[in-house]
């Protein structure tokens, strides 16, 4: 397949749609990760207390586990607020006049802007989410890039990028 090159300028609507997509994806995955971490931490803490201090009565172990587990809702809210701040800063940093050239090929993606140029192999892109508003590329747990649908000149280009993402990305999701 020939490389697909798209040239466009970001606008406020792209920023709004991109941040909505990131928020939807971030909160689901981070909620579950945080819940799992707190449960595991609580279990290992109780096991440690039981082994080190001796055989604690079950009510004491349950009270300790409950206290440790109460950290979950607090930490989830803090992480949610931090992520919203990170997303807002990222989209605020994009200048609407800056031209972005995005090339997708069998080997990966290449992005060229006024101030930077970077390439990333498909192995470095664990997740691509296709939405009606565009494509959300996840590079790691905190770095995302939103490629708006309006940047494509034809629906064929969108389908070609979906095919490349399906074939090469570790995780590809298509949301309708």
């Amino acid at each position: 397949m020939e490389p697909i090159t798209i040239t466009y300028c970001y606008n406020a609507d792209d920023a709004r749609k991109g941040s909505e997509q990131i928020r939807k994806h971030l909160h689901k995955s981070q909620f579950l990760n945080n819940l799992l971490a707190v449960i595991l931490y609580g279990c290992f803490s109780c096991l440690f207390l039981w082994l080190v201090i001796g055989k604690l009565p079950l009510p004491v172990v349950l009270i300790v586990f409950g206290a440790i587990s109460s950290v979950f809702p607090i930490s989830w809210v803090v992480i949610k607020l931090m992520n919203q701040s990170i997303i807002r800063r990222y989209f605020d940093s994009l200048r609407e006049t800056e031209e972005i050239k995005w090339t997708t090929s069998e080997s990966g993606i290449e992005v060229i802007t006024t101030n930077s140029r970077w390439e990333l192999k498909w192995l470095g892109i664990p997740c691509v989410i296709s939405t009606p508003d565009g494509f959300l590329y996840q590079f790691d747990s905190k770095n995302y890039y939103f490629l708006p649908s309006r940047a494509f000149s034809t629906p064929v280009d969108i389908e070609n990028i979906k095919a490349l993402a399906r074939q090469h990305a570790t995780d590809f999701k298509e949301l309708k």
Side-chain angles (χ1 to χ4, degrees):
M1 184 180 298
E2 290 292 314
I4 302 158
T5 300
I6 299 153
T7 302
Y8 65 100
C9 290
Y10 238 74
N11 65 31
D13 193 45
D14 296 332
R16 183 187 56 76
K17 288 177 182 176
S19 66
E20 285 172 9
Q21 296 303 320
I22 292 170
R23 257 190 241 113
K24 283 179 188 175
H25 181 68
L26 266 180
H27 294 299
K28 260 188 221 173
S29 62
Q30 288 198 336
F31 176 83
L32 295 175
N33 289 344
N34 199 10
L35 178 62
L36 180 62
V38 168
I39 289 171
L40 289 175
Y41 179 75
C43 290
F44 284 120
S45 297
C46 290
L47 181 63
F48 175 78
L49 286 173
W50 185 71
L51 290 173
V52 171
I53 298 175
K55 296 196 183 243
L56 291 175
L58 182 62
V60 173
V61 172
L62 291 176
I63 289 170
V64 170
F65 180 74
I68 291 170
S69 297
S70 68
V71 169
F72 168 70
I74 296 166
S75 62
W76 185 70
V77 168
V78 169
I79 288 173
K80 191 173 181 178
L81 293 173
M82 284 174 40
N83 285 336
Q84 287 178 356
S85 170
I86 291 168
I87 292 167
R88 199 173 309 112
R89 264 186 290 149
Y90 168 70
F91 284 108
D92 288 346
S93 72
L94 296 171
R95 292 187 281 299
E96 291 188 23
T97 57
E98 184 174 34
E99 188 174 85
I100 301 169
K101 183 178 177 185
W102 179 283
T103 303
T104 306
S105 67
E106 293 282 341
S107 62
I109 59 173
E110 175 186 42
V111 178
I112 301 171
T113 68
T114 310
N115 301 322
S116 66
R117 178 186 178 280
W118 50 274
E119 291 182 53
L120 194 60
K121 302 284 184 212
W122 282 108
L123 289 174
I125 307 171
C127 183
V128 177
I129 301 171
S130 171
T131 72
D133 295 326
F135 290 90
L136 185 63
Y137 289 79
Q138 177 185 3
F139 304 120
D140 58 38
S141 63
K142 290 189 174 120
N143 291 305
Y144 291 77
Y145 192 90
F146 180 71
L147 181 61
S149 294
R150 69 161 186 84
F152 295 91
S153 55
T154 67
V156 173
D157 286 343
I158 293 174
E159 292 306 316
N160 287 341
I161 289 197
K162 284 181 186 178
L164 284 169
R166 259 189 216 100
Q167 181 181 0
H168 297 290
T170 308
D171 184 19
F172 175 77
K173 296 174 188 159
E174 188 170 359
L175 307 177
K176 301 281 179 183

